[in-house]
Structures are given as C-alpha cells and as structure tokens.
Amino acid sequence: MFRLSCKIVIRSNFSAKTIQFDYVNSIIISSSTKTFTDTAKIVIPRKLSHKGVSITEMIRRNDEIEISLGYDMQLEKVFTGYITKVGTGTPLIIE
C-alpha cells in the first residue's frame, strides 16, 4: 500500500536559515497558461515550531519555497517559487 509523502523547504532571503518539514494539512498547486505562472497554497498547523521558534516568526514574504510530493518518500519536485502571502488565521495558509 502506498503512503503519501511530502517535503516542504523554505529558504529565508533575510537570513541564512532553511526550514524543512514533511507534514501539511493540504497543498493545492495550480498551473495556468493564461497567466504563465504556477501557484501553490499550503495549509499547515499554526502552532508549528522549528527549534523552539514559531513558524510564523520565521516565514516571510519573498522567501524561496520548494515543494516535493510522492509516495513512500520517493519524492519529485513539483513546485519552486517565492512566498507571496503568509496568512494570519488558524490554520496558517502560505501562498
């Protein structure tokens, strides 16, 4: 039986920090030939922390993001881009 896997990597443009996590509530990736861009929307728990620091304090607009998806940790990179919006609600929505 196959098990869904993901890997999200966020590289800060303001500092040399890289955040990596392998769980999300949902991911929506849209491709469009009308706008010539791909977009992604990631929903994660708001209380997520990395090394004792809240994820909301580490993620900023214009940070690089890379999304890899697959089964049983056989991942394929499906999206590379920049963060345009970090939500303020619960759960946390990153676009």
Side-chain angles (χ1 to χ4, degrees):
M1 185 170 190
F2 293 110
R3 186 176 146 239
L4 289 170
S5 304
C6 73
K7 182 171 92 171
I8 312 294
V9 179
I10 300 174
R11 290 179 191 85
S12 175
N13 286 333
F14 301 105
S15 65
K17 294 185 179 181
T18 298
I19 304 165
Q20 179 176 319
F21 50 95
D22 59 358
Y23 45 89
V24 295
N25 289 2
S26 69
I27 298 175
I28 299 171
I29 298 174
S30 303
S31 297
S32 173
T33 56
K34 292 180 181 179
T35 60
F36 299 109
T37 59
D38 295 343
T39 60
K41 183 177 183 178
I42 303 169
V43 179
I44 59 174
R46 182 155 196 79
K47 293 188 178 188
L48 187 65
S49 64
H50 180 72
K51 297 182 181 177
V53 179
S54 173
I55 195 89
T56 57
E57 296 176 21
M58 301 178 76
I59 298 174
R60 301 196 190 284
R61 197 170 154 256
N62 295 325
D63 285 351
E64 294 179 43
I65 188 163
E66 183 178 292
I67 302 170
S68 300
L69 301 173
Y71 294 97
D72 297 323
M73 294 310 290
Q74 301 297 318
L75 302 173
E76 181 178 325
K77 191 184 309 182
V78 294
F79 182 84
T80 302
Y82 293 91
I83 295 174
T84 59
K85 183 179 178 183
V86 180
T88 58
T90 302
L92 180 63
I93 299 173
I94 302 168
E95 296 183 50

